[in-house]
Amino acid sequence: MPALDTNILVRYVVQDDSAQLAAAKRLITRCVEEGQSLFVPVTVMLELEWVLRSSFEFGKDDVIQVVSSLLSAAELSFESERALEVALHLFRESTAEFADCVHVALASQAGEQPFWTFDKRAARVPGATLLTR
């Protein structure tokens, strides 16, 4: 199964480079026509959220919409998809960063809890615990 890098998803989402967008669409179309889904690693989703927020100034609601749309796309297959869905829910319901929500969701999926952190906002996510002195 072919896998996608962050830059391909960024071009597909923000559509800021017509040549790269066309290439990304051709790749996705070709894979779908061949009956292949495209694999998206968790690290790509972490980087995608960061790029959308920091480089393209997407707000939280916009990020949630993009990630939700990608997770529901039939042509995409995600590493730890269930954990990403849980992370998206945690992100929607908390003030924690998306990456922290992914960390907590992956730890929970692995049966490893609590997720210890010094980050006070991250510690508010169910499954995380603040480590104090």
Side-chain angles (χ1 to χ4, degrees), residues 102-118:
V102 171
H103 301 327
V104 171
L106 287 169
S108 177
Q109 179 179 283
E112 308 297 339
Q113 286 189 306
F115 179 79
W116 290 100
T117 183
F118 287 119

PDB file of all heavy atoms in Angstrom, residues 102-118:
ATOM      1  N   VAL A 102      -3.099  13.073  20.845  1.00  0.00           N
ATOM      2  CA  VAL A 102      -2.636  11.867  20.149  1.00  0.00           C
ATOM      3  C   VAL A 102      -1.783  11.020  21.087  1.00  0.00           C
ATOM      4  O   VAL A 102      -1.948   9.799  21.168  1.00  0.00           O
ATOM      5  CB  VAL A 102      -1.856  12.224  18.865  1.00  0.00           C
ATOM      6  CG1 VAL A 102      -1.187  10.990  18.260  1.00  0.00           C
ATOM      7  CG2 VAL A 102      -2.791  12.867  17.843  1.00  0.00           C
ATOM      8  N   HIS A 103      -0.880  11.655  21.832  1.00  0.00           N
ATOM      9  CA  HIS A 103      -0.030  10.911  22.768  1.00  0.00           C
ATOM     10  C   HIS A 103      -0.881  10.144  23.778  1.00  0.00           C
ATOM     11  O   HIS A 103      -0.643   8.958  24.035  1.00  0.00           O
ATOM     12  CB  HIS A 103       0.914  11.848  23.520  1.00  0.00           C
ATOM     13  CG  HIS A 103       1.834  12.637  22.658  1.00  0.00           C
ATOM     14  ND1 HIS A 103       2.369  12.195  21.469  1.00  0.00           N
ATOM     15  CD2 HIS A 103       2.323  13.894  22.823  1.00  0.00           C
ATOM     16  CE1 HIS A 103       3.142  13.124  20.950  1.00  0.00           C
ATOM     17  NE2 HIS A 103       3.127  14.165  21.752  1.00  0.00           N
ATOM     18  N   VAL A 104      -1.862  10.814  24.357  1.00  0.00           N
ATOM     19  CA  VAL A 104      -2.729  10.186  25.358  1.00  0.00           C
ATOM     20  C   VAL A 104      -3.525   9.045  24.720  1.00  0.00           C
ATOM     21  O   VAL A 104      -3.636   7.952  25.303  1.00  0.00           O
ATOM     22  CB  VAL A 104      -3.675  11.224  26.006  1.00  0.00           C
ATOM     23  CG1 VAL A 104      -4.721  10.541  26.875  1.00  0.00           C
ATOM     24  CG2 VAL A 104      -2.879  12.234  26.825  1.00  0.00           C
ATOM     25  N   ALA A 105      -4.071   9.271  23.539  1.00  0.00           N
ATOM     26  CA  ALA A 105      -4.880   8.241  22.874  1.00  0.00           C
ATOM     27  C   ALA A 105      -4.041   7.020  22.513  1.00  0.00           C
ATOM     28  O   ALA A 105      -4.495   5.878  22.674  1.00  0.00           O
ATOM     29  CB  ALA A 105      -5.545   8.815  21.628  1.00  0.00           C
ATOM     30  N   LEU A 106      -2.819   7.233  22.043  1.00  0.00           N
ATOM     31  CA  LEU A 106      -1.945   6.102  21.707  1.00  0.00           C
ATOM     32  C   LEU A 106      -1.543   5.322  22.955  1.00  0.00           C
ATOM     33  O   LEU A 106      -1.499   4.085  22.936  1.00  0.00           O
ATOM     34  CB  LEU A 106      -0.702   6.585  20.955  1.00  0.00           C
ATOM     35  CG  LEU A 106      -0.930   7.017  19.505  1.00  0.00           C
ATOM     36  CD1 LEU A 106       0.312   7.710  18.966  1.00  0.00           C
ATOM     37  CD2 LEU A 106      -1.306   5.826  18.637  1.00  0.00           C
ATOM     38  N   ALA A 107      -1.250   6.028  24.034  1.00  0.00           N
ATOM     39  CA  ALA A 107      -0.903   5.350  25.288  1.00  0.00           C
ATOM     40  C   ALA A 107      -2.088   4.527  25.789  1.00  0.00           C
ATOM     41  O   ALA A 107      -1.922   3.379  26.211  1.00  0.00           O
ATOM     42  CB  ALA A 107      -0.460   6.369  26.339  1.00  0.00           C
ATOM     43  N   SER A 108      -3.270   5.104  25.708  1.00  0.00           N
ATOM     44  CA  SER A 108      -4.476   4.396  26.127  1.00  0.00           C
ATOM     45  C   SER A 108      -4.725   3.170  25.268  1.00  0.00           C
ATOM     46  O   SER A 108      -5.046   2.090  25.773  1.00  0.00           O
ATOM     47  CB  SER A 108      -5.676   5.343  26.064  1.00  0.00           C
ATOM     48  OG  SER A 108      -6.858   4.665  26.396  1.00  0.00           O
ATOM     49  N   GLN A 109      -4.570   3.319  23.955  1.00  0.00           N
ATOM     50  CA  GLN A 109      -4.755   2.191  23.042  1.00  0.00           C
ATOM     51  C   GLN A 109      -3.791   1.054  23.372  1.00  0.00           C
ATOM     52  O   GLN A 109      -4.136  -0.122  23.245  1.00  0.00           O
ATOM     53  CB  GLN A 109      -4.539   2.656  21.602  1.00  0.00           C
ATOM     54  CG  GLN A 109      -4.676   1.553  20.573  1.00  0.00           C
ATOM     55  CD  GLN A 109      -4.476   2.084  19.168  1.00  0.00           C
ATOM     56  OE1 GLN A 109      -5.375   2.705  18.635  1.00  0.00           O
ATOM     57  NE2 GLN A 109      -3.318   1.853  18.589  1.00  0.00           N
ATOM     58  N   ALA A 110      -2.600   1.421  23.823  1.00  0.00           N
ATOM     59  CA  ALA A 110      -1.597   0.416  24.195  1.00  0.00           C
ATOM     60  C   ALA A 110      -1.838  -0.147  25.595  1.00  0.00           C
ATOM     61  O   ALA A 110      -1.122  -1.049  26.026  1.00  0.00           O
ATOM     62  CB  ALA A 110      -0.197   1.024  24.115  1.00  0.00           C
ATOM     63  N   GLY A 111      -2.845   0.380  26.293  1.00  0.00           N
ATOM     64  CA  GLY A 111      -3.145  -0.078  27.644  1.00  0.00           C
ATOM     65  C   GLY A 111      -2.178   0.473  28.678  1.00  0.00           C
ATOM     66  O   GLY A 111      -2.030  -0.099  29.757  1.00  0.00           O
ATOM     67  N   GLU A 112      -1.540   1.560  28.332  1.00  0.00           N
ATOM     68  CA  GLU A 112      -0.531   2.153  29.210  1.00  0.00           C
ATOM     69  C   GLU A 112      -1.028   3.497  29.719  1.00  0.00           C
ATOM     70  O   GLU A 112      -0.987   4.495  29.026  1.00  0.00           O
ATOM     71  CB  GLU A 112       0.796   2.334  28.464  1.00  0.00           C
ATOM     72  CG  GLU A 112       1.305   1.084  27.781  1.00  0.00           C
ATOM     73  CD  GLU A 112       1.636  -0.050  28.737  1.00  0.00           C
ATOM     74  OE1 GLU A 112       1.868   0.209  29.937  1.00  0.00           O
ATOM     75  OE2 GLU A 112       1.648  -1.201  28.291  1.00  0.00           O
ATOM     76  N   GLN A 113      -1.511   3.499  30.953  1.00  0.00           N
ATOM     77  CA  GLN A 113      -2.011   4.728  31.560  1.00  0.00           C
ATOM     78  C   GLN A 113      -1.662   4.752  33.028  1.00  0.00           C
ATOM     79  O   GLN A 113      -1.494   3.699  33.626  1.00  0.00           O
ATOM     80  CB  GLN A 113      -3.518   4.854  31.393  1.00  0.00           C
ATOM     81  CG  GLN A 113      -3.913   5.225  29.986  1.00  0.00           C
ATOM     82  CD  GLN A 113      -5.378   5.566  29.887  1.00  0.00           C
ATOM     83  OE1 GLN A 113      -6.225   4.786  30.282  1.00  0.00           O
ATOM     84  NE2 GLN A 113      -5.663   6.731  29.370  1.00  0.00           N
ATOM     85  N   PRO A 114      -1.545   5.911  33.627  1.00  0.00           N
ATOM     86  CA  PRO A 114      -1.802   7.217  33.033  1.00  0.00           C
ATOM     87  C   PRO A 114      -0.655   7.665  32.137  1.00  0.00           C
ATOM     88  O   PRO A 114       0.439   7.112  32.186  1.00  0.00           O
ATOM     89  CB  PRO A 114      -1.924   8.149  34.236  1.00  0.00           C
ATOM     90  CG  PRO A 114      -1.012   7.541  35.250  1.00  0.00           C
ATOM     91  CD  PRO A 114      -1.135   6.039  35.041  1.00  0.00           C
ATOM     92  N   PHE A 115      -0.919   8.689  31.365  1.00  0.00           N
ATOM     93  CA  PHE A 115       0.090   9.361  30.553  1.00  0.00           C
ATOM     94  C   PHE A 115       0.598  10.528  31.391  1.00  0.00           C
ATOM     95  O   PHE A 115      -0.106  11.495  31.609  1.00  0.00           O
ATOM     96  CB  PHE A 115      -0.532   9.854  29.239  1.00  0.00           C
ATOM     97  CG  PHE A 115       0.430  10.577  28.350  1.00  0.00           C
ATOM     98  CD1 PHE A 115       1.327   9.866  27.566  1.00  0.00           C
ATOM     99  CD2 PHE A 115       0.450  11.965  28.304  1.00  0.00           C
ATOM    100  CE1 PHE A 115       2.225  10.522  26.735  1.00  0.00           C
ATOM    101  CE2 PHE A 115       1.346  12.628  27.479  1.00  0.00           C
ATOM    102  CZ  PHE A 115       2.238  11.904  26.700  1.00  0.00           C
ATOM    103  N   TRP A 116       1.803  10.395  31.922  1.00  0.00           N
ATOM    104  CA  TRP A 116       2.374  11.406  32.807  1.00  0.00           C
ATOM    105  C   TRP A 116       2.924  12.581  32.009  1.00  0.00           C
ATOM    106  O   TRP A 116       3.549  12.395  30.968  1.00  0.00           O
ATOM    107  CB  TRP A 116       3.499  10.809  33.647  1.00  0.00           C
ATOM    108  CG  TRP A 116       2.995   9.847  34.666  1.00  0.00           C
ATOM    109  CD1 TRP A 116       2.987   8.490  34.582  1.00  0.00           C
ATOM    110  CD2 TRP A 116       2.424  10.165  35.927  1.00  0.00           C
ATOM    111  NE1 TRP A 116       2.438   7.941  35.713  1.00  0.00           N
ATOM    112  CE2 TRP A 116       2.076   8.946  36.560  1.00  0.00           C
ATOM    113  CE3 TRP A 116       2.133  11.359  36.589  1.00  0.00           C
ATOM    114  CZ2 TRP A 116       1.490   8.886  37.816  1.00  0.00           C
ATOM    115  CZ3 TRP A 116       1.552  11.304  37.846  1.00  0.00           C
ATOM    116  CH2 TRP A 116       1.233  10.080  38.440  1.00  0.00           C
ATOM    117  N   THR A 117       2.708  13.794  32.515  1.00  0.00           N
ATOM    118  CA  THR A 117       3.175  14.996  31.830  1.00  0.00           C
ATOM    119  C   THR A 117       3.407  16.129  32.821  1.00  0.00           C
ATOM    120  O   THR A 117       2.795  16.165  33.893  1.00  0.00           O
ATOM    121  CB  THR A 117       2.165  15.448  30.749  1.00  0.00           C
ATOM    122  OG1 THR A 117       2.686  16.580  30.069  1.00  0.00           O
ATOM    123  CG2 THR A 117       0.808  15.768  31.340  1.00  0.00           C
ATOM    124  N   PHE A 118       4.303  17.037  32.459  1.00  0.00           N
ATOM    125  CA  PHE A 118       4.483  18.289  33.201  1.00  0.00           C
ATOM    126  C   PHE A 118       3.579  19.387  32.635  1.00  0.00           C
ATOM    127  O   PHE A 118       3.455  20.452  33.210  1.00  0.00           O
ATOM    128  CB  PHE A 118       5.938  18.771  33.125  1.00  0.00           C
ATOM    129  CG  PHE A 118       6.894  17.963  33.958  1.00  0.00           C
ATOM    130  CD1 PHE A 118       7.945  17.295  33.353  1.00  0.00           C
ATOM    131  CD2 PHE A 118       6.768  17.880  35.335  1.00  0.00           C
ATOM    132  CE1 PHE A 118       8.849  16.566  34.101  1.00  0.00           C
ATOM    133  CE2 PHE A 118       7.655  17.153  36.095  1.00  0.00           C
ATOM    134  CZ  PHE A 118       8.697  16.493  35.480  1.00  0.00           C
TER     135      PHE A 118
END
